[in-house]
């Protein structure tokens, strides 16, 4: 399998729930999640799906409720999947957009606008999933074709950073997806703490909501 010369197939940072350590690696052309205890004993190991990428794998596992979630974005047949932390069984597996190199970002479980969400940036789209089912809550188109970072969030806003121009963008505010935001904008996420955000979403950014 292809990979960057400075990358390995085990580049992801492990996740830990206080009892188990979860590791995501690429083995035999598949994304594999392994759980071990603090003595190094393997508790379970589960292939989640086929995986092919020009530069290898870099996304870390994410803990969300009773699940460990992994990002399987790639050039084709992309997905995001959740596994039961105790048994390793796949609880849900949701398709994701395909891209030239997929996304190297790590999913993040966050409470935004009073709702638990699983946030992940991918090729030309920012998406929010229900952590329990994987179903899309909202999505917003972007002009970025490749991501290698994790989404940031505050009480009611979601931010991402594009590779081109390193611009920071706000795509979600107050419980709804915004078509565009001012450039720049001021964000007050705590009393006396204002954050200046450079936001330059394309004028024709499209918001899509599942019915």
């Amino acid at each position: 399998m292809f990979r960057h010369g400075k990358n390995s197939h085990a580049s992801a940072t492990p996740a830990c729930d206080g009892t188990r350590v979860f590791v995501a690696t690429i083995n035999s052309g598949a994304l594999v999640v392994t759980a071990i205890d603090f003595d190094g004993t393997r508790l379970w190991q589960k292939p989640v799906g086929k995986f092919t990428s020009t530069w290898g794998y870099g996304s870390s596992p994410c803990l969300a409720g009773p699940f460990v979630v992994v990002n399987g974005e790639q050039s084709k047949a992309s997905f995001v999947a959740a596994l039961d932390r105790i048994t390793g069984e796949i609880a849900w597996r949701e398709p994701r957009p395909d891209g030239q190199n997929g996304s190297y970002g790590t999913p993040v479980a966050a409470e935004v606008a009073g709702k638990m969400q699983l946030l992940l940036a991918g090729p030309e789209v920012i998406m929010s999933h229900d952590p329990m089912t994987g179903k899309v809550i909202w999505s917003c188109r972007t002009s970025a074709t490749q991501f290698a970072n994790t989404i940031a969030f505050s009480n009611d806003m979601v931010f991402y950073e594009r590779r081109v121009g390193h611009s920071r963008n706000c795509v979600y505010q107050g419980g709804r997806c915004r078509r565009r935001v001012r450039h720049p904008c001021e964000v007050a996420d705590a009393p006396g703490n204002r954050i200046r955000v450079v936001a330059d979403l394309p004028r024709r950014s499209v918001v899509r909501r599942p019915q």
Side-chain angles (χ1 to χ4, degrees), residues 154-175:
S154 67
N155 292 337
D156 68 345
M157 302 189 78
V158 169
F159 306 94
Y160 73 94
E161 186 172 45
R162 297 190 305 172
R163 180 181 182 186
V164 179
H166 302 287
S167 57
R168 294 161 181 82
N169 301 262
C170 165
V171 297
Y172 184 82
Q173 181 177 21

Side-chain angles (χ1 to χ4, degrees), residues 120-167:
L120 182 60
E124 299 185 347
V125 67
I126 308 296
M127 299 180 76
S128 165
H129 297 266
D130 185 324
M132 296 298 101
T133 66
K135 300 303 181 183
V136 176
I137 299 174
W138 57 264
S139 65
C140 191
R141 301 293 299 179
T142 79
S143 60
T145 59
Q146 184 174 331
F147 285 91
N149 48 38
T150 299
I151 288 177
F153 63 94
S154 67
N155 292 337
D156 68 345
M157 302 189 78
V158 169
F159 306 94
Y160 73 94
E161 186 172 45
R162 297 190 305 172
R163 180 181 182 186
V164 179
H166 302 287
S167 57

Side-chain angles (χ1 to χ4, degrees), residues 10-16 22-25 31 33 57-63 68-72 80-81 103-109 118-120 148-150:
S11 296
T13 300
C16 179
F22 304 96
V23 182
T25 59
L31 173 56
V33 181
Y57 192 72
S59 178
S60 299
C62 164
L63 301 181
V68 55
V69 180
V70 289
N71 172 17
V80 59
S103 169
Y104 302 97
T106 295
V108 59
L118 186 71
L119 307 172
L120 182 60
N149 48 38
T150 299

Side-chain angles (χ1 to χ4, degrees), residues 16-17 20 22 35 43-44 62-68 83-89:
C16 179
D17 64 0
R20 310 166 192 81
F22 304 96
L43 303 174
W44 53 261
C62 164
L63 301 181
F67 307 134
V68 55
L83 297 86
D84 186 284
R85 295 190 314 198
I86 298 176
T87 66
E89 293 301 313

